[in-house]
Amino acid sequence: MKVMDVLSRIKSGERVMVHLASRDGHKKKYTLTDGTDVPDAQFCRIREFLQPADAGLFDGAEPQSYQWGG
């Protein structure tokens, strides 16, 4: 999915969900609310347009999801 498509979906109300890394070797990943993958490179490009939608699991942790903030 192209960056502009991801941004359009976020602007229309979808969130970027954060899935934390697990001990069995799965890396942290990002998806849209419907489960569509958002590659790390795309997330890094759009991060400046997002704001936290939920708090992290503990102080100083990354938020559990992001929403449009641009």
Side-chain angles (χ1 to χ4, degrees):
M1 182 177 284
K2 295 180 181 179
V3 172
M4 293 308 293
D5 295 335
V6 172
L7 279 176
S8 294
R9 290 179 63 179
I10 295 168
K11 283 181 180 180
S12 68
E14 288 198 55
R15 291 183 178 187
V16 177
M17 308 303 291
V18 179
H19 303 270
L20 300 177
S22 63
R23 292 181 187 215
D24 60 356
H26 291 102
K27 295 176 15 178
K28 176 173 57 175
K29 70 176 195 171
Y30 302 95
T31 63
L32 293 177
T33 311
D34 70 351
T36 303
D37 284 331
V38 176
D40 289 339
Q42 279 188 350
F43 181 77
C44 289
R45 285 157 108 194
I46 64 172
R47 173 67 184 94
E48 66 184 277
F49 302 107
L50 305 176
Q51 66 183 14
D54 298 305
L57 295 175
F58 48 87
D59 289 340
E62 182 173 19
Q64 296 178 52
S65 68
Y66 292 91
Q67 63 189 7
W68 179 248

